[in-house]
Amino acid sequence: MSLVTDEYELNANEYWNDFYKIHENGFFKDRHWLFTEFPELAPDQDQSQPIYKDTSTTNAGLGSCENGPCSLETRPQEHHQLDFMKDSNYIIHRLGTDAKAILNLADLKLNDGDFPGSSATYRILEVGCGAGNTVFPILQTNNDPGLFVYCCDFSSTAVDLVQTNAEYDSSRCFAFVHDLCKDQSPYPMPEESLDVIILIFVLSAILPEKMQCVINRLTRLLKPGGMILLRDYGRYDLAQLRFKKGRCLSDNFYVRGDGTRVYFFTQDELEALFTTAGLEKVQNLVDRRLQVNRGKQVTMHRVWIQCKYRKPFPAGREENGPVH
């Protein structure tokens, strides 16, 4: 790892905290495509009915994208160049005084079966939840009384935003700070307890050489038959092509102006990561879209990859139990 890459790795938490301190929940668009692409998140939903009521505030100055979410790279160029560490307002953030305390996960006792969501019959974990743009639509849309949603983020500021949101319901949801890249960083649930794990524009922010260990560890949390759902940046997406000289840290891995990083995948790379972890392919496709930012009258050629990989059942077992 180069000295430059090492600096961004060591300070990754600070960069993401600063991002959420500035933008709070007004940056990312709500993911109205979520249940169309991933019906597993609300399996009983009538697709002909509205699936999510948007109760969030929006920042009109950031623009919007017609056919999908506005990602980090679709923001105006000046936002790329913000020096967050010099912003005089970030240290006077409202969460500094009224944010909920974050539970020490190391104190949880998982051996006795008493853990958050232990009585649930359908458990979902979103990794890299940000300000809750996926979690809250799930909680609003999926009315299964047995549902429990876990969500975590590397940024404590992002988790504070989720916990202080009016839609946060601790009886159905548990938000916690987690570093994916630390093997000793605990999860609040035991292995083989999750039905779905969501990774939306998250794996790309991780150092490439650490990705396999991350997927391996997440796989252990899945029940047999459980799935990982992923949507992330594809190779030669507009965001990759617009990076300027000096922003490339390694092959297809870049640093933005705010210090956060992003990798651009091929289908084969993701296939290798998931199958090496022992998962079976359900879906692995490239989603190419011409996106229109009407506010700025700009068209953008986007390339995303969407994957679904399932944990197989042990030999001799089927979904409904052992074979007799």
Side-chain angles (χ1 to χ4, degrees), residues 10 13 24-25 32 63 105 113 119 144 177 181 186 206 208 215 219 221 231 265 291 300:
L10 291 174
N13 179 267
E24 298 188 353
N25 64 345
H32 298 287
L105 297 182
S119 62
D144 179 357
V177 176
C181 298
I206 295 172
I215 297 299
T219 296
L221 296 175
R231 191 170 176 86
F265 292 99
Q291 236 180 24
M300 299 168 286

Side-chain angles (χ1 to χ4, degrees), residues 18-56:
D18 292 337
F19 174 85
Y20 286 107
K21 285 172 181 175
I22 289 177
H23 296 292
E24 298 188 353
N25 64 345
F27 184 83
F28 295 101
K29 283 182 65 66
D30 292 298
R31 293 160 174 167
H32 298 287
W33 47 268
L34 189 66
F35 303 102
T36 302
E37 301 297 339
F38 298 132
E40 296 85 357
L41 301 177
D44 297 327
Q45 173 65 37
D46 180 355
Q47 296 298 320
S48 66
Q49 300 298 318
I51 57 176
Y52 171 52
K53 179 180 179 182
D54 182 2
T55 59
S56 67

Side-chain angles (χ1 to χ4, degrees), residues 313-324:
F313 288 89
R317 270 193 60 192
E318 294 179 346
E319 184 173 352
N320 295 323
V323 175
H324 298 290

Side-chain angles (χ1 to χ4, degrees), residues 6-301:
D6 187 56
E7 186 259 323
Y8 288 118
E9 179 71 6
L10 291 174
N11 298 316
N13 179 267
E14 294 180 21
Y15 289 125
W16 280 110
N17 273 336
D18 292 337
F19 174 85
Y20 286 107
K21 285 172 181 175
I22 289 177
H23 296 292
E24 298 188 353
N25 64 345
F27 184 83
F28 295 101
K29 283 182 65 66
D30 292 298
R31 293 160 174 167
H32 298 287
W33 47 268
L34 189 66
F35 303 102
T36 302
E37 301 297 339
F38 298 132
E40 296 85 357
L41 301 177
D44 297 327
Q45 173 65 37
D46 180 355
Q47 296 298 320
S48 66
Q49 300 298 318
I51 57 176
Y52 171 52
K53 179 180 179 182
D54 182 2
T55 59
S56 67
T57 57
T58 57
N59 187 335
L62 292 174
S64 61
C65 300
E66 184 177 35
N67 296 320
C70 281
S71 69
L72 284 165
E73 288 75 29
T74 62
R75 55 185 159 176
Q77 184 62 28
E78 58 265 26
H79 290 287
H80 280 283
Q81 305 305 323
L82 280 175
D83 185 349
F84 292 153
M85 297 306 293
K86 295 179 181 178
D87 190 290
S88 60
N89 295 321
Y90 90 93
I91 58 174
I92 316 174
H93 194 275
R94 63 177 177 82
L95 292 178
T97 57
D98 65 359
K100 294 181 181 179
I102 297 171
L103 181 65
N104 183 357
L105 297 182
D107 293 337
L108 289 175
K109 298 179 180 179
L110 304 183
N111 294 332
D112 57 7
D114 185 16
F115 59 93
S118 58
S119 62
T121 56
Y122 197 76
R123 302 187 189 96
I124 295 173
L125 165 66
E126 187 194 8
V127 179
C129 62
N133 295 71
T134 294
V135 169
F136 294 122
I138 292 173
L139 291 174
Q140 287 189 14
T141 302
N142 192 328
N143 296 317
D144 179 357
L147 172 71
F148 196 88
V149 180
Y150 307 89
C151 58
C152 65
D153 202 281
F154 188 43
S155 165
S156 59
T157 303
V159 173
D160 286 341
L161 287 168
V162 172
Q163 292 180 333
T164 55
N165 190 299
E167 299 290 330
Y168 185 73
D169 181 355
S170 59
S171 69
R172 304 181 69 218
C173 183
F174 184 81
F176 60 101
V177 176
H178 184 77
D179 185 348
L180 275 176
C181 298
K182 288 186 178 178
D183 289 342
Q184 293 76 28
S185 185
Y187 284 102
M189 76 292 289
E191 294 185 356
E192 296 200 346
S193 63
L194 297 177
D195 295 276
V196 176
I197 296 174
I198 312 167
L199 293 166
I200 297 181
F201 301 107
V202 171
L203 193 61
S204 54
I206 295 172
L207 201 65
E209 51 262 42
K210 294 186 177 182
M211 291 178 183
Q212 187 65 67
C213 288
V214 167
I215 297 299
N216 291 350
R217 191 165 178 232
L218 288 174
T219 296
R220 293 197 291 270
L221 296 175
L222 284 175
K223 298 176 182 177
M227 282 203 294
I228 291 182
L229 310 179
L230 174 141
R231 191 170 176 86
D232 221 319
Y233 300 105
R235 189 70 48 85
Y236 307 126
D237 176 63
L238 170 70
Q240 180 177 13
L241 300 179
R242 70 186 290 184
F243 272 109
K244 295 181 179 179
K245 185 177 180 181
R247 290 292 178 185
C248 186
L249 299 174
S250 60
D251 289 347
N252 304 298
F253 190 49
Y254 300 80
V255 61
R256 305 181 181 97
D258 58 18
T260 62
R261 298 164 299 171
V262 59
Y263 186 84
F264 296 88
F265 292 99
T266 64
Q267 289 172 279
D268 288 345
E269 287 173 336
L270 289 167
E271 166 79 4
L273 286 171
F274 288 122
T275 55
T276 298
L279 300 178
E280 299 174 340
K281 181 174 70 174
V282 176
Q283 181 187 76
N284 183 328
L285 58 82
V286 175
D287 184 356
R288 302 179 190 275
R289 301 197 183 194
L290 179 64
Q291 236 180 24
V292 180
N293 186 320
R294 291 178 175 175
K296 293 189 170 294
Q297 297 183 336
V298 174
T299 58
M300 299 168 286
H301 294 274

